[in-house]
């Protein structure tokens, strides 16, 4: 997991955010899920997030591609938990696996935002929106991800919670990481 620096967001998203907050205040807002489903600025929002994340999944760092697993806009703090953040650009990240591709994957292979669903702890979830998020994790040569060595008991708990909540040791991810490591080792050998 690497830190993501959020920018200003897409203008349609920003306009919808202001409007939705006023609808909530007036007590006339539709459910967050329905409002998000009807949002017509998703392409621009997706593009803004894609640029901020350099085309990588915010949680797994795999390359986001419609040809592979696809992608979806993930609400770090789920819509069902905090309706007011539904259109808040600072709460949105791209996560691997589109809704269409999700249907073809066994549950154990799903990772990232789709695996987490509404599981979220303000105190325990390590988010890519934290500048120091990478210090919580260690990538082993086996391809697995573990809490980093030397963490405090509380920080190790956060790392473990996040790994489990996002299924960051899904066999699909472990296999891809192992392949990346082998390719990297081969490149280093070639350079030497």
């Amino acid at each position: 997991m690497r830190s993501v620096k959020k920018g200003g967001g897409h203008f349609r998203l920003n306009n919808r955010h202001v409007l939705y907050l006023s609808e909530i205040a007036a007590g006339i807002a539709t459910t967050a899920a329905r409002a998000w489903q009807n949002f017509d600025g998703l392409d621009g929002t997706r593009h803004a997030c894609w640029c901020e994340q350099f085309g990588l999944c915010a949680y797994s760092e795999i390359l986001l591609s419609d040809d592979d697993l696809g992608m979806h806009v993930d609400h770090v703090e789920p819509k069902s938990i905090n309706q007011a953040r539904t259109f808040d650009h600072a709460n949105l990240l791209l996560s691997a696996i589109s809704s269409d591709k999700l249907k073809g994957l066994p549950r154990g292979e799903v990772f990232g935002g789709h695996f987490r669903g509404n599981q979220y702890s303000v105190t325990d979830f390590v988010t890519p929106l934290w500048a120091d998020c990478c210090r919580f994790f260690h990538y082993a040569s086996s391809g697995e991800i573990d809490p980093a060595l030397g963490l405090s008991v509380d920080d190790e708990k956060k790392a473990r919670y996040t790994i489990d909540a996002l299924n960051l040791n899904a066999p699909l991810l472990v296999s891809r990481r192992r392949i990346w490591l082998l390719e990297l080792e081969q490149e280093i050998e070639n350079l030497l």
Side-chain angles (χ1 to χ4, degrees):
M1 182 180 299
R2 61 183 275 181
S3 179
V4 174
K5 293 180 184 164
K6 298 299 286 178
H10 186 260
F11 72 94
R12 278 193 171 153
L13 179 75
N14 295 336
N15 290 342
R16 185 64 181 110
H17 181 57
V18 171
L19 179 62
Y20 195 60
L21 289 177
S22 66
E23 291 170 357
I24 291 171
I28 60 170
T30 60
T31 65
R34 180 166 299 207
W36 183 254
Q37 185 178 16
N38 294 330
F39 176 52
D40 67 352
L42 195 55
D43 287 342
T45 300
R46 187 181 295 118
H47 179 72
C49 291
W50 192 88
C51 291
E52 292 167 344
Q53 295 172 215
F54 303 101
L56 301 175
C57 171
Y59 302 119
S60 67
E61 295 185 58
I62 67 169
L63 189 61
L64 294 171
S65 167
D66 287 328
D67 297 333
D68 187 16
L69 293 171
M71 66 190 96
H72 73 280
V73 176
D74 185 61
H75 291 78
V76 177
E77 190 172 356
K79 302 181 294 288
S80 61
I81 293 174
N82 189 348
Q83 182 180 12
R85 298 207 65 200
T86 300
F87 298 100
D88 179 359
H89 182 69
N91 188 48
L92 304 177
L93 295 169
L94 283 184
S95 181
I97 309 176
S98 68
S99 296
D100 291 340
K101 304 280 180 159
L102 178 65
K103 296 170 189 168
L105 285 176
R107 178 70 176 155
E109 294 288 353
V110 176
F111 59 90
H114 277 309
F115 188 85
R116 187 193 74 226
N118 292 330
Q119 182 180 349
Y120 178 76
S121 168
V122 174
T123 57
D124 292 334
F125 186 69
V126 178
T127 166
L129 300 173
W130 295 359
D132 68 342
C133 65
C134 62
R135 77 173 181 83
F136 287 84
F137 307 103
H138 166 75
Y139 295 90
S141 58
S142 66
E144 293 186 351
I145 185 172
D146 299 304
L149 295 174
L151 292 175
S152 68
V153 172
D154 285 344
D155 284 350
E156 184 174 342
K157 177 183 166 195
K158 291 175 186 179
R160 179 70 53 210
Y161 174 86
T162 304
I163 291 167
D164 293 345
L166 295 170
N167 195 26
L168 293 178
N169 280 322
L172 179 76
L173 280 177
V174 171
S175 175
R176 286 185 181 208
R177 287 188 201 116
R178 197 176 310 120
I179 291 168
W180 292 337
L181 287 169
L182 290 172
E183 289 174 355
L184 186 58
E185 286 175 2
Q186 186 61 48
E187 276 302 312
I188 291 170
E189 271 187 40
N190 289 343
L191 291 171
L192 294 176

